[in-house]
Amino acid sequence: MASYDSDEEVDYATDPAWAHITPLPQDDGENPLAQIAYHPDYVLAMSYLRGVMAINYHSAQVLKLTADIIGMNAAHYTVWGYRFKTLVALEASNGFEDEKTNWSWRKELDWVQSIAKQYEKNYQIWHHRQLIIDHLNDPTGERERTNEMFASDSKNYHVWTYRQWLVKRFNLFDKEELDTMELLLKEDVRNNSAWNHRYFITLGRLGTDSPADGVIDREIKFAKVAISSAPQNPSPWNYLKAVLRKGNIDLASLKAFCEQFAPIDSEDEIKSSHALDILSEIYDETGDFSKAEQALVLLAAKYDPVRKNYWRYRKRLLGSSENVPTASEKTPIVHATV
Amino acid sequence: MVQVEPLEEGEQPQLATRTEGNTNEAFHPNLYQMAPERVPALHLNLPFILDDLKTETSQKQLSTARSIMKSVDQPFLPPLDKATHVEFLLSPLDEGLSGGFVGLDASRPWLLYWCINALSLLGKDVGIYNDRAVSSLKPLQHPSGGFGGGNGQAPHVAAAYASILTLAITSYYASIGLPEDERLAVYADSFAWIDRGKLLQWLRKIKLPNGGFKVNEGGEEDVRAGYCALVVLALLGYDDEDLRGDLSRGELPLLDGVAEYFKSCQTWEGGIGAKPNAEAHGGYAFCVLAALCLLGDPEEALSKTLDLNRLISWLSARQYAPEGGFSGRTNKLVDGCYSTWVGGCWSLVEAAANAIESGKKSTKMNVGDLWSRKALIRYILTCCQGPRGGLRDKPGIRPDYYHSNYVLLGLSAAQHYYYYDDVSVQSPVLTKSPFRHGYRWKSSKNVPKPTGHDGTGGGWLEGLVSEESDRVGVQHPLFNIPLGAEGQLQSWWEWFNDVGDVDALSSEN
Ligand SMILES: [Zn+2]
């Protein structure tokens, strides 16, 4: 019999190793809608899987069967779930050490990585990986695996979700993590997923706790440098606002910085619609309603016209208590030093 | 210098009215009596500011914007080619799917829901599929409760969601115009076989102590799971007592911590992610807003649990020019399916904004649209229609059933005004339901313009639909099924919970 990681095909119907499993047919009901004309290999493998699940059978053979099915349909969450249970059962019964099995968690992780590269939009693969790493309680090499994925798609939502879990689970809020984000943002300063992760590791994880000394200033500086490199990039502007909020710093402290990119009286020098947006908020807060409106009018007419209705709504809110920060939000007023 | 217009609702170019005729030849100008409409300038130009620094993101965005700009620049907005879309969507139902669709074998109920709901949006009577929907979905109910993505598959909350939505749609259509007894008999066939007790037990197993839900036992946690769970609960007629649970059996109230969990998914950007700390994303934003609106009236649910102003700012930034469509995340490309995920959020947040403003002024106020319906309609009609039927992400990408449903649903959001009505009286049973707020949504063909600061003014937005044949059906803004289907289903559960003599019903037939 072939070892379970080989690509050798198994004919479940004739292989004696599978004779003890009774295949169970699929019940699609009478005259079903949207029935799929499966390949016969899929039909066969799935009926053996149902047979295996019916008797709660977890042997090394199940690894071959589930790998076969995943090779045909990687989105099969039931198969992934059953495979994980089988791996855990095998480990508990020392089944990995069996020569015929020739399997290990490490091999499983390598196999999963090869599947992940084929099916980038898949929910199950990264969850499977998460279950394994959680079980092994060892994140060694995992950041590198996700970095490999970012090389082909640096915004893959499932990979980023996994990365966050990894960082949280193993407390990896460290310099390596920050350096990786810096690198990704150096490659593409518009990678919003990397900005999101940066926020998570620097400020987001804190909940209601206060950030350590210097973190707020460092992040403000980082965002400002990024803005200067491409002032129409929304990510660092949003980031900057979020950092100020976290640090309880008045938005008005950005006035001079924003005016560099959006001098509203010299229209031809306006380089950022996001600066205009923030300026309208600042002018509103400081009671300069006509300037606030002027910024909104510029946005609606010229710099972001598809959002005209939104800018009109913002004008409607000018001077309303909604927009004016409460006293508690306003104090302490600490002006950014960078 | 650009000419600075006042920020009031200005004169917008009116859409030309097409004359009756062969709409398949929409591009032929002779078919039109009226002068071509002016394509709004925002579709004809790249954004005024483009940074010099080039990165992968900016290059992808620029090339996409350039190619879409050519598609949206059409003086005659093409009609919605309903006939070929219907053909595209009927094919899987009538003829089945090829082996190439094996990747959707764990999403069988989704296939039914996407096609059937999209067909209903296109005006087809999908009641004829009720019996087959029932026979297709029955084998998906798991012996231990809930629904799997296929026969013999483990229960999954999205499978339950898509199954219940499908049945809600087909039974609604199948019972239109029937006398009371026959209507109840249709619902009995469609719903009486669902083991609600076991389903509830199963939902308890995927509920997490933090207030979130997993999609299945051993599966991933995200707000999609929570939204699907709440919709299933809301549509299957459970009452307060069912959800409270039996403390003596160790059961906690099922809705404990749920709203707080959803709230914790609002991010530093103002948008909403799949779970706490995850990147803000249109799909998850819709799940959270719709779920919260099942738990409370929009004002209460959205402004007390979320930072509404920052949420609106982020949602608004999802609409791009020259494309006109929505992106799902900051610095990502537009995609037709966000017409629902982002487009569907607007009626919810506008309901909240209207209520807040009305409260302030003590008179009925309407803040008007916070987004551009017309730009989205233009993106959908010019870019999202596949030439051989079906709707799609963007030009150059093949149409599929998922995008067909969510592009059309988004078109419905753009063509209609959906509003929260807390004045109409609800049934005595519903007033006690934890999901009663979800049953108060109405629709209108008339989209109001904003009222002035004194509550006057307003009027209606013109020219959203250039020809009535372009109009798609009205949908419930939280459940994403035809509006009205939710009420019929609710009245069936009221009868079932009260009388429940299903055998007597079928013998009368
Ligand atoms: Zn899409």
Side-chain angles (χ1 to χ4, degrees):
Chain A
M1 196 174 65
S3 74
Y4 297 104
D5 61 336
S6 80
D7 289 334
E8 205 172 303
E9 276 185 31
V10 174
D11 183 348
Y12 299 98
T14 57
D15 191 328
W18 288 89
H20 66 294
I21 303 293
T22 311
L24 297 176
Q26 177 163 316
D27 174 10
D28 267 349
E30 200 184 315
N31 199 9
L33 293 166
Q35 195 171 30
I36 299 170
Y38 306 114
H39 190 280
D41 289 352
Y42 185 76
V43 175
L44 187 68
M46 277 304 294
S47 33
Y48 274 83
L49 181 84
R50 280 185 291 268
V52 158
M53 285 172 38
I55 57 169
N56 213 16
Y57 178 66
H58 293 287
S59 83
Q61 283 175 267
V62 173
L63 297 185
K64 175 68 185 164
L65 176 64
T66 50
D68 264 5
I69 298 171
I70 287 165
M72 294 183 267
N73 175 12
H76 211 311
Y77 65 90
T78 306
V79 178
W80 281 106
Y82 199 74
R83 184 178 174 91
F84 181 70
K85 279 189 192 157
T86 302
L87 290 161
V88 172
L90 277 175
E91 183 189 43
S93 62
N94 294 324
F96 283 160
E97 277 135 55
D98 188 320
E99 235 172 80
K100 278 193 299 185
T101 307
N102 185 26
W103 204 246
S104 64
W105 288 113
R106 193 42 56 192
K107 283 194 177 181
E108 177 74 6
L109 289 168
D110 289 345
W111 175 74
V112 169
Q113 180 76 354
S114 70
I115 302 268
K117 286 182 177 165
Q118 287 173 55
Y119 304 99
E120 293 199 341
K121 291 262 154 90
N122 182 291
Y123 281 86
Q124 285 78 31
I125 294 169
W126 292 93
H127 184 65
H128 184 69
R129 198 167 188 103
Q130 178 177 322
L131 291 175
I132 295 170
I133 298 300
D134 187 45
H135 176 78
L136 296 178
N137 194 23
D138 175 12
T140 309
E142 286 308 287
R143 285 200 273 200
E144 289 74 11
R145 293 295 86 73
T146 50
N147 290 345
E148 283 170 30
M149 295 300 295
F150 293 145
S152 59
D153 178 5
S154 60
K155 300 176 181 178
N156 187 312
Y157 206 84
H158 305 301
V159 182
W160 278 108
T161 304
Y162 174 66
R163 178 81 171 220
Q164 277 201 347
W165 172 81
L166 204 64
V167 168
K168 219 181 319 183
R169 168 73 170 75
F170 297 100
N171 198 26
L172 304 176
F173 299 96
D174 56 15
K175 184 157 184 318
E176 181 185 337
E177 200 62 13
L178 200 61
D179 287 348
T180 309
M181 292 316 109
E182 203 147 341
L183 202 71
L184 281 170
L185 290 173
K186 207 172 194 172
E187 277 166 24
D188 187 346
V189 72
R190 300 179 176 94
N191 182 348
N192 197 62
S193 303
W195 281 103
N196 185 70
H197 196 73
R198 186 177 176 104
Y199 188 82
F200 166 62
I201 59 177
T202 55
L203 299 167
R205 68 188 176 110
L206 299 172
T208 51
D209 297 346
S210 311
D213 277 353
V215 172
I216 294 287
D217 282 353
R218 183 192 68 198
E219 294 309 304
I220 288 173
K221 196 170 174 184
F222 185 82
K224 284 184 171 177
V225 169
I227 287 167
S228 303
S229 75
Q232 190 54 14
N233 174 11
S235 298
W237 284 107
N238 290 340
Y239 192 85
L240 184 57
K241 281 169 79 175
V243 172
L244 291 189
R245 203 177 311 116
K246 190 80 188 176
N248 274 315
I249 300 169
D250 206 328
L251 197 61
S253 64
L254 288 182
K255 192 173 171 212
F257 181 74
C258 291
E259 280 170 344
Q260 277 179 61
F261 299 100
I264 61 167
D265 293 322
S266 348
E267 231 182 84
D268 297 336
E269 287 163 45
I270 291 177
K271 291 185 180 64
S272 173
S273 68
H274 312 299
L276 274 177
D277 181 354
I278 298 179
L279 277 173
S280 82
E281 259 184 83
I282 294 172
Y283 295 139
D284 182 30
E285 274 183 22
T286 52
D288 196 345
F289 301 127
S290 74
K291 269 188 149 179
E293 183 175 343
Q294 200 184 336
L296 294 172
V297 167
L298 283 169
L299 285 162
K302 184 172 175 185
Y303 296 103
D304 201 355
V306 75
R307 297 169 71 192
K308 180 177 173 180
N309 285 336
Y310 171 69
W311 304 124
R312 184 198 60 211
Y313 172 67
R314 284 273 297 273
K315 185 196 147 197
R316 199 181 172 103
L317 295 182
L318 290 181
S320 75
S321 53
E322 287 296 304
N323 253 17
V324 180
T326 60
S328 66
E329 280 172 345
K330 264 195 159 167
T331 49
I333 298 174
V334 184
H335 287 274
T337 50
V338 286
Chain B
M1 281 283 271
V2 68
Q3 196 200 334
V4 173
E5 302 173 51
L7 263 177
E8 303 310 325
E9 186 71 22
E11 282 305 301
Q12 299 218 344
Q14 300 276 307
L15 299 182
T17 310
R18 282 196 302 276
T19 56
E20 297 300 319
N22 183 353
T23 48
N24 286 331
E25 289 175 52
F27 300 99
H28 199 287
N30 291 341
L31 286 171
Y32 301 91
Q33 301 284 317
M34 301 197 40
E37 71 197 59
R38 228 169 63 220
V39 178
L42 64 91
H43 295 292
L44 301 175
N45 302 294
L46 289 172
F48 201 84
I49 304 169
L50 290 172
D51 286 327
D52 294 332
L53 180 73
K54 285 190 177 67
T55 64
E56 191 184 339
T57 298
S58 65
Q59 281 168 319
K60 273 189 187 162
Q61 173 56 35
L62 192 60
S63 66
T64 304
R66 280 211 171 100
S67 93
I68 288 178
M69 212 158 78
K70 289 183 201 133
S71 304
V72 293
D73 178 10
Q74 294 185 30
F76 299 97
L77 215 49
L80 182 65
D81 192 354
K82 286 184 175 174
T84 55
H85 300 320
V86 164
E87 229 174 280
F88 177 84
L89 291 158
L90 282 177
S91 143
L93 300 178
D94 291 341
E95 291 149 43
L97 292 161
S98 75
F101 282 89
V102 69
L104 288 171
D105 190 39
S107 306
R108 299 283 299 281
W110 279 118
L111 282 166
L112 268 59
Y113 165 67
W114 294 330
C115 293
I116 286 171
N117 194 54
L119 284 166
S120 83
L121 277 157
L122 292 167
K124 294 299 285 184
D125 175 4
V126 292
I128 53 164
Y129 291 113
N130 190 45
D131 291 345
R132 290 177 66 200
V134 172
S135 67
S136 304
L137 293 170
K138 262 187 189 168
L140 274 52
Q141 182 166 230
H142 197 272
S144 62
F147 287 78
N151 175 234
Q153 298 181 24
H156 191 290
V157 73
Y161 168 87
S163 299
I164 303 306
L165 295 193
T166 302
L167 295 168
I169 302 165
T170 54
S171 54
Y172 175 59
Y173 275 88
S175 63
I176 286 175
L178 294 183
E180 174 81 354
D181 277 5
E182 289 175 41
R183 186 174 61 77
L184 292 172
V186 168
Y187 277 89
D189 285 345
S190 303
F191 287 96
W193 53 274
I194 295 172
D195 191 331
R196 289 189 297 163
K198 279 186 178 169
L199 178 54
L200 188 60
Q201 290 307 316
W202 177 76
L203 285 173
R204 290 189 177 284
K205 287 188 211 160
I206 59 166
K207 169 83 189 294
L208 294 160
N210 67 2
F213 283 83
K214 295 182 288 187
V215 292
N216 65 316
E217 282 181 84
E220 67 273 13
E221 160 202 337
D222 61 31
V223 294
R224 183 181 51 125
Y227 164 68
C228 289
L230 258 54
V231 166
V232 167
L233 289 167
L235 287 178
L236 287 186
Y238 296 99
D239 62 25
D240 258 334
E241 206 174 315
D242 297 325
L243 303 185
R244 203 174 303 133
D246 182 350
L247 202 61
S248 70
R249 287 193 290 175
E251 291 173 355
L252 297 171
L254 192 55
L255 299 178
D256 268 12
V258 169
E260 291 76 11
Y261 177 82
F262 283 131
K263 177 192 174 175
S264 72
C265 297
Q266 186 168 31
T267 81
W268 57 276
E269 290 189 79
I272 297 164
K275 50 174 152 177
N277 299 310
E279 185 184 1
H281 182 294
Y284 299 110
F286 176 82
C287 288
V288 165
L289 300 188
L292 287 172
C293 286
L294 282 171
L295 297 172
D297 73 73
E299 179 188 7
E300 170 103 27
L302 304 188
S303 70
K304 302 228 165 91
T305 46
L306 296 169
D307 183 335
L308 187 63
N309 283 345
R310 292 200 302 121
L311 173 68
I312 290 175
S313 166
W314 178 84
L315 278 172
S316 159
R318 304 280 53 75
Q319 195 162 25
Y320 291 1
E323 300 95 315
F326 291 117
S327 70
R329 300 185 245 165
T330 303
N331 274 331
K332 293 277 280 178
L333 305 175
V334 294
D335 173 346
C337 65
Y338 293 110
S339 307
T340 294
W341 303 133
V342 178
C345 289
W346 287 115
S347 59
L348 315 186
V349 297
E350 285 168 7
N354 288 338
I356 291 166
E357 180 120 337
S358 301
K360 266 192 257 169
K361 311 266 175 174
S362 310
T363 177
K364 199 100 185 138
M365 300 292 284
N366 194 308
V367 300
D369 288 333
L370 304 183
W371 57 301
S372 173
R373 294 170 181 269
K374 287 181 181 177
L376 180 66
I377 291 171
R378 177 167 289 271
Y379 178 68
I380 290 174
L381 292 179
T382 60
C383 294
C384 297
Q385 303 195 70
R388 284 177 296 280
L391 295 109
R392 62 191 178 189
D393 168 345
K394 61 173 71 64
I397 295 182
R398 209 198 291 243
D400 58 44
Y401 307 116
Y402 162 86
H403 282 92
S404 294
N405 182 50
Y406 291 112
V407 170
L408 291 172
L409 239 160
L411 184 58
S412 179
Q415 289 177 340
H416 301 101
Y417 179 57
Y418 291 104
Y419 61 99
Y420 182 77
D421 168 29
D422 55 1
V423 180
S424 302
V425 182
Q426 293 197 310
S427 80
V429 176
L430 206 50
T431 54
K432 281 183 255 161
S433 160
F435 307 111
R436 61 189 175 279
H437 303 283
Y439 286 82
R440 287 179 171 151
W441 288 88
K442 301 260 167 65
S443 79
S444 168
K445 285 182 182 178
N446 297 320
V447 179
K449 288 184 178 177
T451 42
H453 277 291
D454 53 356
T456 60
W460 312 108
L461 202 58
E462 302 282 334
L464 287 176
V465 178
S466 44
E467 189 85 2
E468 274 306 305
S469 60
D470 282 349
R471 191 182 287 284
V472 294
V474 288
Q475 291 263 310
H476 190 285
L478 312 179
F479 297 127
N480 288 348
I481 57 176
L483 191 63
E486 81 290 357
Q488 289 296 320
L489 183 52
Q490 173 62 27
S491 62
W492 145 260
W493 290 119
E494 285 179 15
W495 178 87
F496 184 74
N497 291 340
D498 189 32
V499 184
D501 191 355
V502 174
D503 293 337
L505 269 182
S506 37
S507 66
E508 277 166 28
N509 272 311

